Amino acid sequence: MSTVTDTANTPATDDAHGHDDHHHHIPKGLMRWLLTTNHKDIGTLYLWFAFIMFLVGGAMAMVIRAELFQPGLQIVEPNFFNQMTTVHGLIMVFGAVMPAFTGLANWLVPMMIGAPDMALPRMNNWSFWILPFAFLILLSSLFVEGGGPAFGWTFYAPLSTTYSGDSTALFVFSVHIMGISSIMGAINVIVTIFNMRAPGMTYMKMPLFVWTWLITAFLLIAVMPVLAGVVTMVLTDKYFGTSFFDAAGGGDPVLFQHIFWFFGHPEVYIMILPAFGIISHIVPTFSRKKLFGYASMVYATASIALLSFIVWAHHMFTTGMPVIAELFFMIATMIIAVPTGVKVFNWVATMWRGSISFEVPMLFAIAFIILFTVGGLSGLMLAIVPVDFQYHDTYFVVAHFHYVLVTGAIFSIMAAVYYWLPKWTGRMFDITLAKWHFWCSLISVNVLFFPMHFVGLAGMPRRIPDYALQFADFNKWISIGGFAFGLSQLIFLALVIKACRKKGEKVSSQVWDGAEGLEWEIPSPAPYHTFDTPPVVK
Amino acid sequence: MAQEAPEEYQKYYVPEQSVWPIVGAVALFLIAVGAANFVVESVREEPGLGGYTLIAGLVMLIVMIFGWFKNQIDESMSGKYSAQLGRSYRQGMLWFIFSEVMFFAAFFGALFYARAIAVPWLGGASNNAMTNEVLWPAFEAMWPLTLTPGGTETQAMGWLGLPLYNTIILLVSSVTLHYAHVGIEENKRGQLKVMLGLTIVLGCIFLGLQGYEYVHAYRDLGLTLQSGIYGNTFFLLTGFHGLHVTLGTIILIVLFLRIMKGHFTSDEHFAFQAGAWYWHFVDVVWVMLFVCVYII
């Protein structure tokens, strides 16, 4: 990072940064969490919520893998299987990955830019607390007569209109609330970054996590309303007799896909850009070098964000678009590999001739770089129109997006938790457990997702509860990997609970000896209120 | 320690705990559950609790807005807000308006796609001759789509007359609101009150005429929400716009009441500015709508 702080102006020890007298003591009990306006409390709430949702969504993945352990219908009804794939996707995207990143932004952005809190603290509370209600609605819809949403997390029309159950209305309104939550959260982050930076912190001195979240917030505000628009059309098509997605009324089911993916593709980058920021913090720390190519990282992030608006139809190559459109979206998609390649190059160049040590956050970061690249390269394969005709809707696609989302987004979130957890709790986490968590996850996740490439290339379709006999052996291994990955996350749960109970060695304010940035100059654990008056950044 | 603050730094006001967000969260929960059940119950024509839940949620939301805004107004009037906080509010409002722009963009996108792609293709354009020949042999592409492939007939809404008057009304209301804004900045309270009052009246006239237009569409033209993609885009675009005008008018009325109580000064009037921005945004959307939905 290029942030240099004036040490004279930086609170460096515990008592140096006492609470100002106008702040009350930290409130206690349930009311602290329900009524809080503190960015650290809200960050903690987001992170715990995301973790719980990760386990709930993970449990659904276990149902899916249990059903697919052997060919033939084994454990669940096909309709229930479809509900599991649908709700698993919705929960992981909107309930786990996005809230986890928002939680990290809440905890870290104010500390990184030297702000006293988020810009709009009460709205911050609101944007968190509507989320659990949204997921209460979504989960309760599984118990409605006729079952919950079973049309895939992408809710393509006419599956979600003509052929869906009565739980669709609940689904639509819960998505509306998730969208409102994301938009408010993003407005808060973007305003905080624009308006609350400490004096001297110019844009090109901002830590990369802040930069990537700034761009992510812009993407969120731009596309979540489009999602709100398209679920509204689904609602009116299903219940009020409109025909946006019905050819008999002059509409087109493909129109649904266009609008959905205009939201959906930037959404993919919403789930990965903050990850890029996290990795750009961790790799320099444990390589004991400055990040290679800071400015190019910023420009690459911005280019990825802009390109994300003109590639949406690569999800729709098999819908019968004109050839010229297929060519355009193919080429635009492949161009994204350039800024992404810049990033991977920069991380590797940062490590080059660094004095590298392999602490747990670094292990996750290196795994991220390698495995995210695997997912990126399979994405490049999918971008090629003629081969996409073969891969479309097979397990190859499932393998691709799980490599970028699980070993990409989720590994980066775990790396971030291991990296900043000592700052939050003031204690080092249990390193032995953490290493067990890392190696078990790393091995099992590859047993889980790598064979999916092969069954996908061989033609196994996704979202079907049964498969042809020749896929049986691979699927058995995939399921074993799945169960092992699921169980490995319980190690993580145990570790986090242990850390929250303040077990472990006390850590210094810098925690890691190569760590740089404002958040490492305040005491560990970070006091309830930090930077009441902003530090000066040179 | 924390050295002395950089000169002239005014502390950023971080509010203490607040009860209103969680009240608002429960309100949104009730609204969502209520609305979902209400929709299903009304389609099936089964009486249920959906409508009541929805109303309870809306009432709770209104209570929340009053409580929350009262808090903010008290804080603002007691001088707790710094210029920096004012900037946060302004930027927040602008990004909120941007999100609204994108919401309308989804519906405009649907309109353009239907006109430029979906309807022509159903009529056999591009390489879709067989789509037309096999699936919808009697269908001819046209816009406004007054006869759908499925055979629903309707009449198109013209742009002369009512819609044109409405356009003029809204444009004038933007001008009057601008002069109200000038009034607040130059501390001419009389001008402010008259111009803001005029804007509210114009907004109400617009809404009345829009309601009349809907009655005309349903009764005389046979143009309904079920009339195919032309009616769908017409009613959803004008309907969501109308909702926004309604909300904007309510905001202006609240501002008017606050001004009568003597709130706002020539340099402290964020709420007024936010309301004015919102109104101008709603106007711009209407101009887009008038051109794309009514004229061409």
Side-chain angles (χ1 to χ4, degrees):
Chain A
M1 252 118 322
S2 54
T3 337
V4 183
T5 50
D6 180 355
T7 41
N9 258 320
T10 313
T13 57
D14 270 271
D15 41 12
H17 195 79
H19 304 268
D20 276 331
D21 33 64
H22 75 270
H23 287 304
H24 298 313
H25 292 291
I26 303 173
K28 295 247 180 295
L30 180 64
M31 282 304 163
R32 166 178 174 185
W33 302 103
L34 285 180
L35 310 182
T36 184
T37 50
N38 181 287
H39 72 103
K40 299 185 182 83
D41 282 354
I42 294 171
T44 305
L45 285 169
Y46 264 115
L47 286 168
W48 269 111
F49 176 74
F51 198 4
I52 292 165
M53 283 295 121
F54 176 61
L55 295 175
V56 172
M60 291 173 181
M62 297 300 106
V63 174
I64 295 169
R65 282 324 314 175
E67 172 58 46
L68 294 175
F69 189 74
Q70 286 188 318
L73 293 182
Q74 303 293 334
I75 300 171
V76 294
E77 294 286 311
N79 185 41
F80 187 72
F81 182 88
N82 289 344
Q83 292 171 45
M84 286 295 103
T85 55
T86 303
V87 182
H88 164 75
L90 288 166
I91 285 185
M92 289 306 196
V93 169
F94 295 106
V97 174
M98 289 169 69
F101 279 134
T102 314
L104 291 170
N106 259 289
W107 251 105
L108 298 171
V109 168
M111 297 203 304
M112 286 178 169
I113 63 172
D117 205 297
M118 297 291 278
L120 306 160
R122 275 176 289 224
M123 194 175 81
N124 201 13
N125 175 310
W126 200 25
S127 57
F128 170 75
W129 274 110
I130 61 180
L131 261 191
F133 288 111
F135 282 90
L136 188 64
I137 297 173
L138 182 66
L139 287 172
S140 67
S141 78
L142 288 171
F143 302 97
V144 168
E145 205 187 314
F151 29 66
W153 85 275
T154 50
F155 60 104
Y156 277 14
L159 294 176
S160 58
T161 54
T162 315
Y163 303 107
S164 65
D166 274 334
S167 60
T168 309
L170 287 168
F171 159 80
V172 165
F173 286 102
S174 77
V175 170
H176 271 305
I177 299 188
M178 293 169 204
I180 293 170
S181 164
S182 295
I183 291 169
M184 289 198 297
I187 289 177
N188 223 332
V189 170
I190 213 165
V191 173
T192 305
I193 297 172
F194 274 138
N195 195 33
M196 309 277 287
R197 278 168 294 123
M201 183 170 284
T202 54
Y203 284 110
M204 291 314 272
K205 281 185 189 169
M206 288 196 312
L208 266 173
F209 182 70
V210 178
W211 252 118
T212 50
W213 240 109
L214 176 69
I215 292 165
T216 303
F218 168 76
L219 290 180
L220 277 166
I221 303 173
V223 301
M224 293 309 286
V226 176
L227 174 68
V230 78
V231 284
T232 305
M233 291 179 213
V234 166
L235 185 81
T236 59
D237 262 21
K238 179 160 177 64
Y239 296 103
F240 299 105
T242 62
S243 35
F244 285 103
F245 311 130
D246 181 1
D252 186 350
V254 177
L255 169 61
F256 172 88
Q257 297 184 29
H258 279 292
I259 308 177
F260 177 82
W261 286 113
F262 184 82
F263 145 79
H265 204 79
E267 167 70 17
V268 172
Y269 294 116
I270 286 164
M271 291 190 285
I272 204 66
L273 292 184
F276 292 163
I278 290 164
I279 302 305
S280 304
H281 281 245
I282 293 173
V283 169
T285 295
F286 297 104
S287 306
R288 288 154 187 88
K289 273 176 68 189
K290 291 262 179 253
L291 181 71
F292 182 89
Y294 170 88
S296 66
M297 283 298 210
V298 173
Y299 298 134
T301 312
S303 326
I304 293 173
L306 291 178
L307 285 170
S308 76
F309 286 105
I310 54 162
V311 296
W312 76 87
H314 66 212
H315 297 269
M316 306 160 52
F317 284 150
T318 58
T319 56
M321 285 186 299
V323 173
I324 189 74
E326 307 224 314
L327 287 176
F328 171 79
F329 285 108
M330 171 168 82
I331 292 164
T333 303
M334 296 179 100
I335 290 173
I336 292 187
V338 177
T340 314
V342 167
K343 284 177 170 294
V344 174
F345 179 85
N346 285 349
W347 292 320
V348 176
T350 306
M351 286 190 275
W352 177 251
R353 295 193 166 179
S355 169
I356 303 180
S357 57
F358 297 95
E359 279 89 344
V360 181
M362 186 65 165
L363 291 175
F364 272 98
I366 293 171
F368 170 96
I369 296 171
I370 295 166
L371 297 177
F372 173 77
T373 306
V374 170
L377 291 175
S378 60
L380 214 48
M381 292 169 72
L382 286 162
I384 303 167
V385 174
V387 294
D388 181 74
F389 282 18
Q390 167 79 8
Y391 304 156
H392 185 85
D393 254 349
T394 68
Y395 262 78
F396 190 81
V397 179
V398 180
H400 158 69
F401 68 73
H402 282 95
Y403 263 90
V404 291
L405 284 173
V406 179
T407 57
I410 288 178
F411 267 33
S412 83
I413 292 164
M414 286 166 178
V417 169
Y418 284 121
Y419 187 54
W420 282 290
L421 193 60
K423 171 58 64 188
W424 302 337
T425 63
R427 311 280 175 139
M428 186 50 73
F429 49 81
D430 186 331
I431 292 172
T432 318
L433 269 188
K435 289 203 164 156
W436 272 101
H437 173 225
F438 172 74
W439 288 108
C440 290
S441 298
L442 181 73
I443 293 164
S444 59
V445 87
N446 283 296
V447 175
L448 165 58
F449 293 122
F450 209 81
M452 286 184 184
H453 291 113
F454 303 126
V455 291
L457 289 177
M460 178 172 159
R462 59 190 284 216
R463 288 176 169 163
I464 309 278
D466 189 9
Y467 47 82
L469 286 179
Q470 71 264 31
F471 303 126
D473 290 349
F474 272 88
N475 270 284
K476 190 177 283 175
W477 282 107
I478 292 170
S479 286
I480 290 169
F483 302 140
F485 185 71
L487 289 174
S488 308
Q489 303 325 305
L490 299 180
I491 307 177
F492 189 44
L493 179 66
L495 180 141
V496 174
I497 290 174
K498 209 171 155 192
C500 289
R501 293 164 130 203
K502 306 253 171 198
K503 299 276 166 67
E505 235 179 282
K506 285 196 176 178
V507 292
S508 69
S509 57
Q510 200 191 7
V511 185
W512 315 102
D513 64 21
E516 280 181 36
L518 285 179
E519 80 270 30
W520 304 111
E521 295 175 20
I522 50 179
S524 308
Y528 198 56
H529 292 285
T530 37
F531 299 123
D532 272 329
T533 46
V536 176
V537 180
K538 266 203 238 160
Chain B
M1 85 112 208
Q3 312 302 296
E4 59 286 29
E7 329 85 78
E8 55 194 64
Y9 178 72
Q10 193 187 352
K11 266 203 193 325
Y12 193 88
Y13 177 71
V14 178
E16 295 300 334
Q17 294 200 314
S18 171
V19 74
W20 299 115
I22 190 76
V23 173
V26 176
L28 277 188
F29 172 67
L30 294 177
I31 289 172
V33 174
N37 283 303
F38 180 66
V39 165
V40 175
E41 285 156 9
S42 36
V43 169
R44 284 199 190 154
E45 292 176 354
E46 285 170 6
L49 295 174
Y52 300 106
T53 318
L54 177 60
I55 291 168
L58 288 170
V59 170
M60 201 165 168
L61 190 73
I62 291 167
V63 171
M64 181 278 268
I65 291 172
F66 265 94
W68 191 326
F69 282 19
K70 188 180 176 310
N71 253 3
Q72 302 227 222
I73 292 167
D74 290 346
E75 288 161 4
S76 165
M77 303 294 274
S78 59
K80 282 180 176 149
Y81 287 0
S82 59
Q84 194 187 12
L85 189 81
R87 281 200 298 280
S88 287
Y89 285 162
R90 282 176 174 76
Q91 289 180 8
M93 186 67 196
L94 288 177
W95 285 109
F96 167 67
I97 289 176
F98 174 57
S99 79
E100 293 269 47
V101 169
M102 293 309 292
F103 181 74
F104 278 100
F107 291 92
F108 276 108
L111 172 68
F112 298 148
Y113 184 88
R115 291 186 59 164
I117 297 177
V119 171
W121 283 6
L122 287 168
S126 182
N127 59 353
N128 298 280
M130 295 317 285
T131 306
N132 182 256
E133 201 60 43
V134 177
L135 295 175
W136 312 103
F139 178 66
E140 263 182 73
M142 59 182 130
W143 194 270
L145 185 65
T146 45
L147 178 60
T148 67
T152 312
E153 264 187 279
T154 176
Q155 277 177 275
M157 178 68 73
W159 64 273
L160 278 167
L162 244 171
L164 183 62
Y165 297 144
N166 257 348
T167 308
I168 295 166
I169 288 167
L170 266 197
L171 287 176
V172 172
S173 80
S174 241
V175 175
T176 54
L177 187 64
H178 172 72
Y179 281 105
H181 201 163
V182 172
I184 207 170
E185 277 176 342
E186 295 178 355
N187 218 0
K188 293 179 184 156
R189 304 292 283 196
Q191 176 183 337
L192 167 62
K193 285 171 196 166
V194 172
M195 285 297 167
L196 185 57
L198 261 179
T199 313
I200 293 169
V201 172
L202 288 170
C204 293
I205 295 175
F206 173 90
L207 285 172
L209 290 180
Q210 195 70 3
Y212 178 76
E213 188 188 71
Y214 277 16
V215 174
H216 171 63
Y218 263 77
R219 203 183 284 160
D220 309 330
L221 302 179
L223 178 62
T224 71
L225 193 58
Q226 286 87 29
S227 309
I229 195 76
Y230 172 66
N232 304 157
T233 49
F234 175 84
F235 281 107
L236 265 92
L237 276 163
T238 57
F240 275 117
H241 177 264
L243 273 180
H244 282 74
V245 177
T246 311
L247 187 62
T249 310
I250 293 170
I251 293 173
L252 293 184
I253 291 171
V254 172
L255 289 173
F256 189 74
L257 296 175
R258 284 188 65 189
I259 286 163
M260 297 309 271
K261 283 181 81 178
H263 289 195
F264 305 126
T265 65
S266 53
D267 37 41
E268 271 297 327
H269 52 262
F270 161 70
F272 183 89
Q273 195 164 31
W277 280 342
Y278 194 75
W279 191 261
H280 292 311
F281 147 72
V282 168
D283 262 14
V284 172
V285 171
W286 176 262
V287 173
M288 283 287 294
L289 236 158
F290 184 59
V291 174
C292 300
V293 176
Y294 289 91
I295 299 185
I296 53 175

